[in-house]
Amino acid sequence: MSQRPIILGIVGDSAAGKTTLTKGIAQVLGSENVTVICTDDYHRYDRKQRAEIGITALHPDCNYLDIIQQHLHLLREGQPILKPIYNHTTGEFDPPEYIKPSKFVIVEGLLGYSTLGARDAYDVKVYLAPPEFLRAKWKVKRDTMKRGYKPEQVLAEIEKREPDSEAFIRPQRQWADVVVSFYPPTEGSEEDASHLNVRLVLRPTIPHPDLLKVVDESGEDSTSAIRLELERDMGKPVDVLEIDNHATAEQVNKLERILCHEMPDLLPYCGLQINPEIGKLVGTTGETLQSYPLAITQLLIAYHMLKAVHLDSTKTVPQSALS
């Protein structure tokens, strides 16, 4: 019997960066090995109906959470699903799509951790938590460029959705194994996405790589571009890895080597210069940029996906083979 698919969850509010993060992870794992599912396709109402009822897409009652849960468990068992499709351009539903899971399944969306049954289906859970002013900036840019809205319409929608964001989206942060927060070096600065720092909260709910070598031999150095610290998150101890946008190629390669030493499958993406296929961003004028903090974040999450493969394979070894 072949090994079951490994499932990654990426949850965050609208325009938090879920798709950008997903693309790089899929590049590392091999796009032919990855099936991407968006839970936003499981809306119960189309855009016109939501306006008539007075409900936002962020509210659990506006989504078929039971079907999301059912489909996640089918995918985990290697079974196909008939997935609905919500068209963000028209605001209506397109015909459903027949999907068979690949070796890896990435499930991104707004409410992926809303039920216990859904949470139990994931091998790795990630939550994206950028500062709200930055997420609003990203949402305005995306919805005006790709969805035809005016800036004032997007800002009004953000304000309308805020109560549901606070009540239903942000609480899902507590269920994540890794919390990812990209942020500018200076609060409120106009730095483009390629110049953002990243803060990674690494909870002990999954086994993380040994990152102690990141700390300088002289001890903690708060001025270093890459820092590992022990902090408390939601009252519990966690490791926090911070990577500044000005980290040098040498510093980044040191961190890459740590990941690749523990997970040789990542070797094609570790070298003298970080692989240009990951960490990609689209600039304000459409140019392609690369971010070291984003690339390392994508590598780290891919590490966890590959680690889950090894952990799952050891669980399925027959006892007789171990005697």
Side-chain angles (χ1 to χ4, degrees):
M1 181 179 177
S2 60
Q3 189 169 7
R4 67 165 181 84
I6 298 299
I7 301 183
L8 164 68
I10 299 181
V11 168
D13 211 332
S14 179
K18 299 184 290 293
T19 301
T20 298
L21 188 63
T22 295
K23 286 180 179 178
I25 297 168
Q27 283 289 339
V28 177
L29 298 174
S31 56
E32 72 280 4
N33 297 320
V34 177
T35 298
V36 178
I37 303 291
C38 182
T39 59
D40 298 354
D41 285 324
Y42 292 79
H43 291 333
R44 187 183 297 266
Y45 308 112
D46 63 24
R47 185 178 297 154
K48 181 180 178 181
Q49 291 171 322
R50 294 198 303 271
E52 292 172 347
I53 297 171
I55 192 172
T56 80
L58 280 59
H59 198 291
D61 290 348
C62 189
N63 295 270
Y64 288 111
L65 299 183
D66 53 346
I67 300 180
I68 293 176
Q69 179 176 301
Q70 180 189 63
H71 281 188
L72 281 172
H73 284 276
L74 286 171
L75 292 168
R76 187 178 175 89
E77 294 171 3
Q79 300 298 314
I81 62 170
L82 192 62
K83 186 185 72 65
I85 296 180
Y86 176 75
N87 188 318
H88 285 279
T89 301
T90 65
E92 299 175 348
F93 295 100
D94 291 341
E97 180 182 9
Y98 178 82
I99 291 181
K100 296 178 66 174
S102 304
K103 181 178 180 180
F104 301 101
V105 178
I106 301 179
V107 182
E108 60 168 81
L110 297 168
L111 293 164
Y113 307 152
S114 291
T115 67
L116 175 60
R119 295 193 294 272
D120 285 345
Y122 299 101
D123 295 279
V124 182
K125 297 188 290 294
V126 173
Y127 182 81
L128 287 177
E132 280 301 296
F133 78 89
L134 184 60
R135 185 183 71 84
K137 177 181 175 182
W138 288 344
K139 185 168 176 61
V140 169
K141 176 184 174 182
R142 184 197 68 187
D143 288 2
T144 53
M145 292 180 63
K146 296 184 178 181
R147 299 182 181 177
Y149 290 97
K150 296 179 180 179
E152 56 270 23
Q153 291 177 307
V154 182
L155 293 173
E157 185 68 13
I158 291 174
E159 183 177 359
K160 177 183 176 182
R161 290 183 171 202
E162 174 54 27
D164 284 349
S165 290
E166 180 66 23
F168 306 115
I169 306 300
R170 292 175 202 143
Q172 294 176 96
R173 183 183 189 278
Q174 65 185 302
W175 307 115
D177 303 306
V178 180
V179 179
V180 179
S181 300
F182 290 97
Y183 63 95
T186 305
E187 176 72 20
S189 68
E190 293 299 316
E191 297 282 353
D192 64 45
S194 66
H195 292 90
L196 297 176
N197 301 342
V198 69
R199 184 175 191 270
L200 304 171
V201 175
L202 310 176
R203 295 200 178 117
T205 46
I206 55 175
H208 298 285
D210 181 7
L211 297 172
L212 288 177
K213 299 172 186 175
V214 175
V215 181
D216 293 340
E217 293 181 2
S218 58
E220 266 188 33
D221 182 2
S222 61
T223 64
S224 174
I226 300 179
R227 303 174 295 282
L228 181 68
E229 300 174 353
L230 180 64
E231 298 184 12
R232 298 190 77 82
D233 179 71
M234 303 186 78
K236 297 182 180 179
V238 296
D239 287 326
V240 174
L241 177 65
E242 291 202 64
I243 306 168
D244 292 346
N245 73 87
H246 63 267
T248 65
E250 181 181 358
Q251 291 170 317
V252 170
N253 287 335
K254 179 180 178 181
L255 184 50
E256 284 184 283
R257 288 194 295 272
I258 293 172
L259 295 176
C260 293
H261 176 73
E262 294 195 27
M263 190 57 61
D265 291 345
L266 291 175
L267 281 172
Y269 286 85
C270 300
L272 296 178
Q273 186 175 5
I274 201 160
N275 195 297
E277 292 303 310
I278 58 175
K280 282 186 175 180
L281 293 160
V282 178
T284 53
T285 59
E287 75 278 21
T288 299
L289 307 171
Q290 189 180 43
S291 159
Y292 280 168
L294 174 60
I296 289 295
T297 300
Q298 291 166 333
L299 271 180
L300 178 64
I301 296 171
Y303 164 93
H304 281 301
M305 295 290 284
L306 294 166
K307 183 77 171 180
V309 172
H310 291 283
L311 291 174
D312 191 68
S313 64
T314 59
K315 292 177 184 177
T316 58
V317 174
Q319 186 63 35
S320 59
L322 301 174
S323 58

